[in-house]
Amino acid sequence: MTKLCALIPLLAALAAAGGCAGTKQVQSAAGEGGSGATGGGTGTGGAVGAGGSNVTGSGGSTSPTGNGGGGGDVGPMSDAGTPNCGLQQFQPTPKNADILLVLDRSASMQDPINSSSGAPSKWSVVVPTLNSVVTGTDSSVLWGMKSFPEGSGNECVAGSVTSNIDVKVAATDATAVTAGITATTPDGNGTPTGDAINAAVTYLKTLTDTNPKYILLATDGEPSCAAIPSSEDTDAARPYAVTAVTNAKTAGFPTFVIGIGTTASDTTTLNQMADAGGEVPANATNPLSPHFYLASDMTTLTSALGSITGQISSCLFPLGMTPPVPNDSTKLGVYVGSGMTRIPYDAKNLNGWDYTDGNDTAVEVYGSWCNMIQADGAGAVQIIFGCPSINPPG
């Protein structure tokens, strides 16, 4: 088993005093040698206890006038379950994510993406790019899909959003989802965005796996239906959709918004939904930048979806155990790369790491540090637990 001191030179002093923590989720460490009692001279320190063992180290030898050193402490987090503390290390693996694509198939998706002559339609840009990204992330994302509005009837009628899910969330489901996207036609009447999000939440609540769950809303502009059945009313539909996205996040399902809007009003509504969903691009702090992911051309949409799926699948790390010192960011170190560069703690979730919940069950990394992890791979991440009297290195 790889020793922590072999990987992290900063722990050399700890190694000399008593050994190193194990890797992965096998937490064991050598006990510390006991110090000699005071006398005319000082006894030699006790021998180091066996890592992870249930016995103390042997006593130290006696000096001419001093007493022998005490035995080494029991190795922390031993295989036998001894709950003593010690620096512990493991390499986490990314946790898969469930993503339900909520795809706007309203007739306006047939419109060109801009006013340029010969500009492609919004739909012709979205379909091949979505298919490519879903296929490329099949191993790390469990995809599903719901399109709206349903059918080809009147606008804002009850049948335009039902409990139907085009493709249910499942592992290695890319073929089914891309077939569903390709088979969908952009000829729906109206844009009942709020009720489509509500239906997505109802479905996600039925899933029993432990993966984090997200909604990916791809839409070309303003919603036109408030609570259905209703008459078309864009003014009422906007706050209704924003409230639906807000409620989805409260229920535990953050929403990423990919927008293909062409007017200022579209942009305002898309920004509001994106803010409510809680997942905005890194450059959203710029007052001139949109808060949703732009999808006005194929390159932008590919980059946006690549960032979304990369963030979810590579930067969330379940810990598998409660840290020895819970709710204390100074007692946990998150590192990336062969040089073990320490990632800073960031409670604002902008550029650093943070616990995902109050029970410290997982760590998520944000911003440029997440980008670095995406480049280096999740295997380059190390997480080290400290103790009440020992901080992680760096």
Side-chain angles (χ1 to χ4, degrees):
M1 182 172 62
T2 304
K3 298 295 184 180
L4 184 60
C5 55
L7 295 175
I8 306 177
L10 292 176
L11 298 184
L14 175 64
C20 303
T23 59
K24 299 287 185 181
Q25 294 186 23
V26 179
Q27 285 82 24
S28 63
E32 298 177 356
S35 60
T38 302
T42 301
T44 304
V48 173
S53 68
N54 259 343
V55 297
T56 60
S58 58
S61 60
T62 305
S63 68
T65 55
N67 296 320
D73 294 335
V74 178
M77 299 303 295
S78 70
D79 294 339
T82 305
N84 292 327
C85 187
L87 289 176
Q88 301 156 39
Q89 174 196 20
F90 67 91
Q91 287 183 291
T93 54
K95 189 175 181 66
N96 291 336
D98 298 344
I99 305 180
L100 183 65
L101 169 65
V102 178
L103 178 60
D104 179 1
R105 57 174 292 274
S106 59
S108 59
M109 292 291 280
Q110 300 179 37
D111 296 341
I113 60 174
N114 55 49
S115 59
S116 300
S117 175
S121 71
K122 301 168 185 177
W123 191 254
S124 69
V125 170
V126 169
V127 169
T129 308
L130 281 175
N131 285 343
S132 176
V133 172
V134 169
T135 300
T137 58
D138 194 29
S139 62
S140 58
V141 173
L142 284 69
W143 283 98
M145 172 190 160
K146 178 174 180 59
S147 61
F148 75 100
E150 299 170 44
S152 56
N154 294 330
E155 184 173 12
C156 305
V157 297
S160 61
V161 178
T162 70
S163 61
N164 178 66
I165 301 296
D166 299 75
V167 183
K168 294 183 178 180
V169 170
T172 60
D173 209 21
T175 299
V177 173
T178 55
I181 294 171
T182 302
T184 302
T185 55
D187 54 10
N189 193 1
T191 311
T193 307
D195 279 301
I197 294 295
N198 291 339
V201 169
T202 298
Y203 169 68
L204 289 173
K205 285 181 176 180
T206 69
L207 301 183
T208 58
D209 64 58
T210 60
N211 295 335
K213 295 167 178 59
Y214 297 82
I215 296 169
L216 176 59
L217 171 63
T219 182
D220 72 333
E222 300 245 37
S224 61
C225 307
I228 55 176
S230 66
S231 58
E232 186 274 335
D233 186 347
T234 299
D235 289 339
R238 291 190 197 106
Y240 183 72
V242 172
T243 297
V245 174
T246 300
N247 292 341
K249 184 175 184 296
T250 300
F253 311 120
T255 299
F256 293 92
V257 177
I258 292 177
I260 316 176
T262 56
T263 69
S265 181
D266 291 343
T267 298
T268 298
T269 304
L270 289 167
N271 278 337
Q272 291 172 346
M273 290 192 294
D275 287 338
E279 299 292 345
V280 299
N283 64 353
T285 54
N286 184 335
L288 300 179
S289 297
H291 292 193
F292 57 95
Y293 287 84
L294 287 171
S296 57
D297 59 67
M298 188 171 292
T299 301
T300 301
L301 184 56
T302 300
S303 176
L305 289 181
S307 174
I308 289 170
T309 55
Q311 178 179 342
I312 294 173
S313 63
S314 298
C315 296
L316 179 67
F317 304 102
L319 296 180
M321 62 167 287
T322 301
V325 186
N327 302 313
D328 187 344
S329 61
T330 68
K331 298 299 182 180
L332 185 137
V334 183
Y335 306 83
V336 63
S338 58
M340 300 293 287
T341 302
R342 187 165 183 174
I343 300 173
Y345 173 73
D346 179 16
K348 295 182 178 180
N349 299 167
L350 297 175
N351 196 36
W353 73 268
D354 191 12
Y355 289 116
T356 60
D357 56 63
N359 295 321
D360 301 349
T361 60
V363 162
E364 186 162 6
V365 180
Y366 303 88
S368 63
W369 294 100
C370 179
N371 295 337
M372 189 181 302
I373 291 171
Q374 292 171 21
D376 291 353
V381 177
Q382 305 280 334
I383 295 179
I384 300 176
F385 300 101
C387 308
S389 60
I390 309 175
N391 290 331

